[in-house]
Amino acid sequence: MSEQSEQTGVLDTVKLAVAVALLIAGVMGFYWFQDESTLIRVLGLLAVVGIALAIGMTTAKGSQLAGFMGNARTEVRKMVWPTRVETTQTTLIVIAVVILVGIMLWLLDMFLGWGISRFIG
């Protein structure tokens, strides 16, 4: 490993440690200032989370995550989503099958219950 990559690895570790420390401090601050308005506490916590995420995204793992999320968004845009009619038809078929299987299981349960009561009693 080169000296440059070792320094980058150490710097990334330090950045991630700072981000985690900020998150822990933010959560602790949220509960420490419980007498304050909930809105102010939530906004403060969101600000700390945003800062921690910004620090975390400057690391190598953070940039990999950003690239992955960008690729995932591109793939979602490529998808062909069903129309409203297709979605409605599929939903109705699923409901019908669930009802049919429910009735079949109910009949099977009744038959087995009848058979066991005849056998035992």
Side-chain angles (χ1 to χ4, degrees):
M1 217 193 268
S2 71
E3 187 176 320
Q4 178 68 24
S5 63
E6 286 180 19
Q7 289 178 346
T8 304
V10 170
L11 185 61
D12 282 354
T13 304
V14 170
K15 287 180 183 178
L16 288 175
V18 168
V20 169
L22 275 173
L23 288 174
I24 292 171
V27 171
M28 288 175 61
F30 180 83
Y31 290 108
W32 183 267
F33 295 107
Q34 61 187 351
D35 296 334
E36 298 297 323
S37 168
T38 304
L39 176 63
I40 293 172
R41 290 172 36 214
V42 168
L43 289 176
L45 182 60
L46 288 175
V48 170
V49 168
I51 293 168
L53 282 175
I55 292 171
M57 293 305 269
T58 61
T59 64
K61 292 288 184 188
S63 61
Q64 287 176 352
L65 177 64
F68 174 76
M69 291 172 67
N71 290 339
R73 185 173 179 181
T74 303
E75 290 299 321
V76 167
R77 288 182 178 171
K78 291 180 185 178
M79 288 183 63
V80 178
W81 296 97
T83 64
R84 184 177 182 95
V85 172
E86 292 170 335
T87 304
T88 304
Q89 289 174 348
T90 304
T91 303
L92 291 174
I93 289 170
V94 167
I95 290 171
V97 169
V98 165
I99 290 172
L100 182 65
V101 169
I103 290 171
M104 288 172 47
L105 289 174
W106 175 63
L107 290 172
L108 179 65
D109 182 55
M110 284 184 57
F111 175 73
L112 290 174
W114 173 79
I116 289 173
S117 66
R118 286 290 204 185
F119 181 72
I120 291 176

